[in-house]
Amino acid sequence: MTIRVFHSPASPYVRKVMVAAAERGLADQIKKLPSAAGPVKRDPGIVQHNSSGKVPCALLADDTPLFDSRVITQYVDSLGVAGDPLYPQDARRFAVLTAEALAESILDAALLHRYENALRPEEKRWEDWSRGQMDKIDSGLDDLEGRWFATITDGFNAASIAAACALGYLDFRFASKDWRSTRPRLAEWFATISARPSMKDSFPAG
């Protein structure tokens, strides 16, 4: 069994899938497909399978597409041959799903902030928009430090992966942002889980 995944080494959403696959013993079943996905110019190779043109998009053996990252990670989890399930089937399940969604909202805001400041012509940039996205990031981080900390630290589940990839992306693209000083529990946890092989092997690039 091989799962083909349109891949971008800088995408935190793709990283979620790669980490999930590694944690569930399926890393060698993932075939990375090159992509040129962008927020303006889309990759037609992806669009024919996923009309949004976004990565990750996985293709099964019969070319059935799976997207977005939350769908693909659940599929990977269903096939897992090693490690613990990433999505609990007991009362914890919806807490994990909600904390995963929270981490993805941080990533969504970070991407929108980056697009505004890295891709939009300078004379067209909207400072209030960028500030609003950063406010979403900060409130999300505060929630991970507080209300949802017990969920993301309950083993290494889907919410843990999403939170770790969000924090890794902030370090990668927003290196000057000091998110650690006011969120010591999150900082300590992230330092620990960053040593996991699945995290080290998927470090973003580009």
Side-chain angles (χ1 to χ4, degrees):
M1 177 206 66
T2 299
I3 305 170
R4 293 162 290 157
V5 177
F6 286 102
H7 179 270
S8 169
S11 168
Y13 304 100
V14 171
R15 189 183 190 191
K16 280 183 58 189
V17 172
M18 303 309 295
V19 172
E23 292 289 334
R24 296 295 272 133
L26 298 171
D28 61 348
Q29 302 300 316
I30 303 294
K31 180 180 179 181
K32 299 176 183 177
L33 301 179
S35 71
V40 178
K41 186 176 181 180
R42 299 183 301 159
D43 183 335
I46 302 173
V47 171
Q48 67 175 316
H49 300 288
N50 173 8
S51 57
S52 75
K54 294 179 179 181
V55 292
C57 174
L59 300 178
L60 306 186
D62 62 356
D63 282 346
T64 297
L66 296 178
F67 53 86
D68 58 8
S69 64
R70 279 177 280 187
V71 174
I72 302 172
T73 53
Q74 290 191 60
Y75 181 73
V76 166
D77 193 39
S78 74
L79 301 176
V81 297
D84 295 325
L86 304 176
Y87 293 90
Q89 297 302 311
D90 55 22
R92 299 170 298 157
R93 180 175 181 81
F94 288 100
V96 168
L97 288 169
T98 303
E100 182 187 19
L102 171 63
E104 287 228 351
S105 75
I106 294 171
L107 281 175
D108 293 345
L111 263 292
L112 289 173
H113 187 289
R114 174 168 167 75
Y115 291 159
E116 181 73 13
N117 290 275
L119 299 181
R120 188 183 294 275
E122 186 173 359
E123 68 277 7
K124 295 182 179 180
R125 293 175 192 168
W126 187 10
E127 185 176 345
D128 286 347
W129 170 270
S130 297
R131 186 181 303 111
Q133 304 314 313
M134 194 56 69
D135 285 346
K136 294 175 189 176
I137 293 170
D138 286 333
S139 62
L141 292 174
D142 289 342
D143 248 4
L144 289 180
E145 171 79 6
R147 180 183 307 179
W148 298 103
F149 188 74
T151 300
I152 66 170
T153 58
D154 181 14
F156 196 64
N157 56 51
S160 314
I161 292 173
C165 290
L167 297 174
Y169 186 76
L170 291 178
D171 283 353
F172 179 55
R173 291 299 195 198
F174 299 83
S176 63
K177 180 174 177 59
D178 176 20
W179 59 265
R180 288 172 171 82
S181 62
T182 55
R183 303 169 187 97
R185 293 199 301 173
L186 204 56
E188 182 178 4
W189 172 78
F190 183 61
T192 299
I193 57 92
S194 291
R196 297 178 77 95
S198 64
M199 292 292 292
K200 293 198 296 185
D201 293 344
S202 62
F203 195 83

